[in-house]
Amino acid sequence: MPEVLLADFQIKRLEVLNEKGETDPELLPELSDAEMWRLYELMLLSRIFDERAVALQREGRIGTYPPIRGQEAAQVGSAFALTSKDWLFPSFREMGAHLTLGYPIPQLLQYWGGDERSQKVPPGLNIFPFCVAVGSQIPQAAGAALAARYRRDPVAVVTYFGDGATSKGDFHEAMNLAGVFSLPLVFICQNNQWAISIPLKGQTASASLAQKAIAYGFPGVQVDGNDVFAVYRATREAVEKARSGAGPTFIECLTYRMADHTTADDAGRYRSGEEVTFWAARDPILRLERFLEGRGLWTPQKREEAAAQAAATVDAGVAQMEAAPPPAAAELFDEVLATLTPRQAGQRKVR
Amino acid sequence: MAQLNMVQAINQALAQEMARDDRVLLLGEDVGRDGGVFRVTEGLLERFGRERVLDTPLCESGIMGAAIGMAAYGLRPVPEIQFLGFTYSAFEQLFAHAARLRSRSRGRYSCPLVVRTPYGGGIKAPELHEESTEALFCQVPGLKVVVPSGPYLAKGLLLAALRDPDPVLFLEPTRLYRLLREEVPEGEYLVELGKARVARPGNSLTVVAWGSMLERVLKAVEGYDAEVLDLMTLNPFDSEAIVTSVRKTGRLVIVHEAAKTCGFGAEIAATVAEEAILHLRAPILRVTAPDVPVPLAKLIDHYLPGLQQIRSALDEVLQY
C-alpha cells in the first residue's frame, strides 16, 4: 500500500520595509502620507511613554512596569488596522496598541501605579482589561467572536499575546475553537523571543509560531514585526477577512523585546549584549524614519518637534495621574458584584 | 401540575428562559445532539438550533473562557461542564476572570453566566465524576454558588441564576437527578438566590444541609424535633436564617458530603460562633465525608455521610 500525503504546508514571512528604509512597492499598503506620519507619531509616542514609565518606576512613582521598547511597530501597526467597534483582548504588554486606539495616558499609568479605577475602559472602546495571567485572555476573545457572529455584528475580535503564551493550554483551546467555529478572530502573537529568561527555542520546537495555525485549520503568517507596514498590511487583511465572516487568522510578529521583561527583571542575566546590539540596529522607529526621509516626510527637525509634542502629551498624562486623589478603602467593594452580599455590605461599612 | 424529576425541571427552566431571552445560549461538551450525558439539555438543539446550543470541542478552559467573552459581549451563556471534577481545568478562567471581571473592569464589563455542572457522589461513576468541592468555589468573591435539593427548587433557582447579573456556579446534585419527583409548576417562578429555606420546622436542634444531603437529613431527623435548613445558595449564604434558627434551638449539626477540613460547614460553624455563641447549648457538630479523595463505587457509601452517622450526631448534641 502506498503512503498517502495528507498535508503539506508552507509558512511565509511578510516583509515590506527593510532596515535601510526600502520597501517593496507591490506590498506597501495603501496609506496616505498623513497616515504614514501618524504611524510614526504613534510609534514615537509609544517609545517616549515607555521611557517615561520606566523612569517613573525607578523613581518609585509607579509600580512594576513591563517595557514595550522594540515592539512599537508590532503594536502600533496592528492596532492601526482596527476601528473602535472592534474588540481587543490584550495581554499586559501592548501599551502601544492602547495608545493607538486612544486609550487615556493617565489611565495607563494609573494601572501600573496600582490604581483599580484605571481599569474602567472608556465607553467608546471595546478593550478588555490588561491580562496578567498569561494566555488566559485568548479563549475569552474566542467567546466574544462567537457572540459577535451570533449578533451578526461585522466586527473583528483581536487578541494579543506573547510567544510564551503559545505554550499554554488556553492558547490551543482557543485556536481550536476559532478553527472549529470559523470565528471572526485575529490572533496577534508578539514573538519578542523571550518569555522572561526562556528563549523561543525553549518554548517551542516549531520552526515558526505561525505554523501552529495550520494544525487548527486556518492560515498563519509570520510578519517582520519591526516593519510597521508588514504588520499593518497583515492585520488589515485579517480583520477584513474576520469582519466579512471568512474566519480566523494567526499573525506572528517577529520582533524583539529590547528592554527587560519588567522593571523587576535584569535581562543581562540571560542574554548577550551582542544580541541586543544586533536588534538595536533593526529598531522599528529608525527604519520608518529612513523610509519617511526618502519620501521627503522626515527631517531631524521634524523628529524633534514630534518628540517634544509626544513628551508634552506624556507629561500631561503623568501630571493628571499624580493629581488623582488616592482611592478610599470603601472602594475595595466597588463593582465586586452588582449588589453586594450582606456580608460584603457589612464589611464595607467598617472600612 | 406535572410531576417532574430534577432533569426535567432543569430542562424546562432552560427551555423557557431560552424562549424568553435570545441572549441565552448553551455551550459545552455533548450538550447538543446528545442532549448532555445526563440528558438535561435534551431536545434543546432541535428546538433552538445550532446557534443557541453549541456542541464544543473537549476543552473546559476554552468553554469557560469563551463563555466569559460571550457574557462580556452582552449574551447570557450557560456553559455546561460535564462533571464538577472537570471544572478543575477551568479554574483559572472561573477564578481569575469570571469572578473578577466586573471588579477588574470597574463595572465596564460584567459576567452574567451560569456554569451548570453535575455534582456529588453516589452514582457509581468513575474517578473525578463524584466530586463535591463546593467550598473551593465559595472562597472566591464575585462568584455565586447555588445547589438545589429537588426539582421544584432546581427550576426556580436556575431561573433566578439565569437572570442574575453576575456569574453563578449551579451545582446539580447528580444523585438527585432522577431520585425524586415533585410537582413543578409549568409557569415561571423564581427562587431568590442567597436565601435559605426551612425544609422542616423544629425546636430542639438545627440541622443545616444542602443538595443531595438534604434528602438524607430529612430521613434521619424523623422522630426528632429538628429544624432542617436547606441552604440552597452557598455564596452568598443566608447566615441570618442559620443564626435565627440556632438562637431558637440552641444546637447545630451541619451535614455535607464534602471532606471535613475547610468544607463549607467550617464557615457555618465559625459564623454561628461569631454571632450566636451564647445561645449554644452544645458544641456545633459537623457530619461530613472524611478527608480523603472521593473513592470509586465500592467505597462511596463509606465516604458519604450515612443515616446512622447523622443520627449519632443528633443524639450527641441533644444529650450534651
Side-chain angles (χ1 to χ4, degrees):
Chain A
M1 293 294 184
E3 285 181 338
V4 179
L5 182 66
L6 293 180
D8 191 15
F9 64 89
Q10 294 180 324
I11 289 295
K12 293 180 184 164
R13 175 161 59 229
L14 178 66
E15 299 175 14
V16 178
L17 173 68
N18 71 13
E19 286 122 55
K20 293 181 194 154
E22 300 158 346
T23 55
D24 180 339
E26 296 285 306
L27 295 174
L28 188 66
E30 282 180 26
L31 288 165
S32 66
D33 285 353
E35 285 171 321
M36 286 179 178
W37 181 257
R38 184 67 190 142
L39 282 172
Y40 177 69
E41 279 183 329
L42 286 165
M43 287 166 68
L44 205 55
L45 175 67
S46 301
R47 176 72 54 95
I48 287 165
F49 170 87
D50 196 56
E51 286 168 350
R52 194 68 203 280
V54 171
L56 289 171
Q57 189 282 329
R58 299 290 184 234
E59 292 162 11
R61 292 156 74 184
I62 65 171
T64 304
Y65 171 81
I68 61 171
R69 188 184 186 87
Q71 299 179 217
E72 294 88 351
Q75 301 188 356
V76 172
S78 53
F80 203 68
L82 309 180
T83 74
S84 59
K85 287 200 163 59
D86 295 318
W87 281 64
L88 191 74
F89 286 75
S91 79
F92 55 86
R93 198 195 297 282
E94 285 91 24
M95 278 69 79
H98 285 82
L99 291 168
T100 303
L101 289 165
Y103 203 91
I105 290 174
Q107 267 185 261
L108 289 177
L109 293 169
Q110 267 180 328
Y111 179 76
W112 296 109
D115 191 330
E116 296 270 337
R117 295 170 297 187
S118 68
Q119 290 177 290
K120 185 159 190 161
V121 175
L125 294 171
N126 296 320
I127 301 180
F128 240 51
F130 284 103
C131 183
V132 167
V134 173
S136 55
Q137 76 281 15
I138 312 176
Q140 297 164 13
L146 205 58
R149 200 184 52 185
Y150 176 67
R151 285 291 190 220
R152 311 271 191 271
D153 294 336
V155 302
V157 180
V158 178
T159 179
Y160 284 87
F161 49 91
D163 39 301
T166 66
S167 301
K168 298 270 290 189
D170 272 355
F171 164 75
H172 294 276
E173 295 193 18
M175 290 280 278
N176 193 41
L177 284 167
V180 166
F181 292 124
S182 189
L183 297 177
L185 183 53
V186 181
F187 297 85
I188 298 183
C189 177
Q190 290 195 72
N191 176 3
N192 69 17
Q193 310 192 42
W194 289 91
I196 307 190
S197 71
I198 306 302
L200 187 66
K201 69 178 186 325
Q203 211 66 246
T204 181
S206 298
S208 73
L209 296 173
Q211 72 198 61
K212 290 176 188 285
I214 303 298
Y216 297 104
F218 57 90
V221 62
Q222 188 180 80
V223 304
D224 181 340
N226 284 13
D227 166 355
V228 71
F229 294 137
V231 175
Y232 172 76
R233 185 186 176 94
T235 313
R236 176 88 193 247
E237 283 173 10
V239 295
E240 282 173 1
K241 188 179 125 193
R243 289 183 199 126
S244 72
T249 307
F250 179 95
I251 300 171
E252 174 189 3
C253 300
L254 191 67
T255 181
Y256 191 74
R257 187 191 85 211
M258 285 168 70
D260 299 324
H261 167 65
T262 65
T263 49
D265 175 45
D266 172 12
R269 289 169 63 91
Y270 51 80
R271 68 184 187 188
S272 69
E274 293 78 38
E275 184 182 302
V276 181
T277 308
F278 173 87
W279 281 96
R282 281 152 188 78
D283 186 305
I285 294 181
L286 278 179
R287 191 183 297 195
L288 185 58
E289 284 178 354
R290 286 171 188 146
F291 169 82
L292 293 174
E293 188 174 24
R295 302 241 317 186
L297 296 172
W298 185 91
T299 62
Q301 165 89 20
K302 285 189 81 175
R303 182 196 163 104
E304 287 307 306
E305 285 165 16
Q309 196 181 1
T313 305
V314 174
D315 282 348
V318 173
Q320 205 181 324
M321 179 265 292
E322 294 197 321
E331 290 182 40
L332 278 172
F333 297 87
D334 283 0
E335 306 291 354
V336 175
L337 288 166
T339 308
L340 293 184
T341 67
R343 184 170 275 185
Q344 286 168 331
Q347 292 165 346
R348 188 180 191 279
K349 259 186 218 155
V350 297
R351 282 292 186 287
Chain B
M1 223 182 296
Q3 291 272 332
L4 302 184
N5 65 27
M6 194 185 278
V7 167
Q8 294 164 324
I10 293 169
N11 181 279
Q12 190 179 86
L14 290 171
Q16 285 177 356
E17 193 65 6
M18 289 178 81
R20 194 187 74 92
D21 184 349
D22 73 357
R23 296 173 301 169
V24 179
L25 274 74
L26 312 186
L27 71 160
E29 295 155 14
D30 310 298
V31 299
R33 193 168 170 191
D34 200 31
V37 292
F38 289 98
R39 308 286 174 261
V40 175
T41 53
E42 192 161 50
L44 299 178
L45 172 69
E46 291 75 6
R47 185 164 166 201
F48 296 101
R50 285 172 53 196
E51 280 204 315
R52 308 273 310 270
V53 183
L54 291 108
D55 269 324
T56 65
L58 205 162
C59 58
E60 283 78 11
S61 188
I63 293 166
M64 199 71 82
I68 293 167
M70 292 163 81
Y73 199 95
L75 303 184
R76 289 186 163 263
V78 186
E80 175 181 302
I81 301 295
Q82 209 153 58
F83 289 92
L84 180 62
F86 304 173
T87 61
Y88 302 163
S89 52
F91 260 22
E92 184 174 27
Q93 290 298 339
L94 201 52
F95 284 36
H97 294 285
R100 304 168 72 102
L101 184 58
R102 180 185 289 281
S103 167
R104 61 196 281 269
S105 69
R106 289 278 127 176
R108 170 63 202 277
Y109 302 109
S110 61
C111 198
L113 56 80
V114 178
V115 184
R116 290 183 40 250
T117 180
Y119 141 86
I123 56 162
K124 297 189 170 59
E127 191 174 12
L128 287 164
H129 288 60
E130 304 205 8
E131 303 282 294
S132 52
T133 39
E134 65 269 31
L136 292 176
F137 302 88
C138 295
Q139 171 70 13
V140 186
L143 181 66
K144 294 180 180 174
V145 180
V146 175
V147 191
S149 60
Y152 173 87
L153 293 166
K155 179 176 172 183
L157 287 165
L158 182 55
L159 285 174
L162 291 166
R163 295 183 197 178
D164 196 274
D166 287 303
V168 178
L169 178 66
F170 194 80
L171 299 171
E172 299 171 3
T174 326
R175 196 171 67 81
L176 301 185
Y177 264 153
R178 294 172 195 280
L179 185 71
L180 316 164
R181 279 184 177 273
E182 279 174 4
E183 292 199 336
V184 175
E186 174 70 26
E188 155 187 321
Y189 60 94
L190 304 182
V191 177
E192 189 183 351
L193 304 188
K195 297 287 179 206
R197 77 184 172 107
V198 177
R200 178 189 191 273
N203 296 300
S204 63
L205 79 161
T206 300
V207 187
V208 176
W210 54 92
S212 91
M213 279 301 117
L214 197 82
E215 175 261 352
R216 197 157 282 183
V217 164
L218 288 173
K219 277 190 189 140
V221 298
E222 279 170 21
Y224 293 83
D225 184 17
E227 181 146 290
V228 177
L229 292 185
D230 178 2
L231 217 45
M232 304 196 292
T233 303
L234 302 187
N235 192 16
F237 75 106
D238 191 347
S239 59
E240 199 183 325
I242 298 168
V243 168
T244 302
S245 180
V246 170
R247 282 188 177 142
K248 178 173 77 173
T249 65
R251 295 178 174 87
L252 175 62
V253 173
I254 305 151
V255 183
H256 62 65
E257 65 170 277
K260 187 169 197 171
T261 299
C262 294
F264 198 71
E267 183 61 42
I268 297 170
T271 300
V272 171
E274 282 175 349
E275 296 181 28
I277 197 162
L278 294 178
H279 292 83
L280 285 171
R281 285 185 267 169
I284 300 167
L285 290 189
R286 286 176 283 167
V287 184
T288 71
D291 290 339
V292 300
V294 181
L296 299 180
K298 299 280 186 199
L299 281 170
I300 195 75
D301 287 339
H302 298 284
Y303 174 85
L304 297 175
L307 282 180
Q308 200 43 55
Q309 275 170 284
I310 299 169
R311 287 194 184 119
S312 298
L314 304 181
D315 292 338
E316 196 177 333
V317 296
L318 285 170
Q319 286 157 19
Y320 182 80

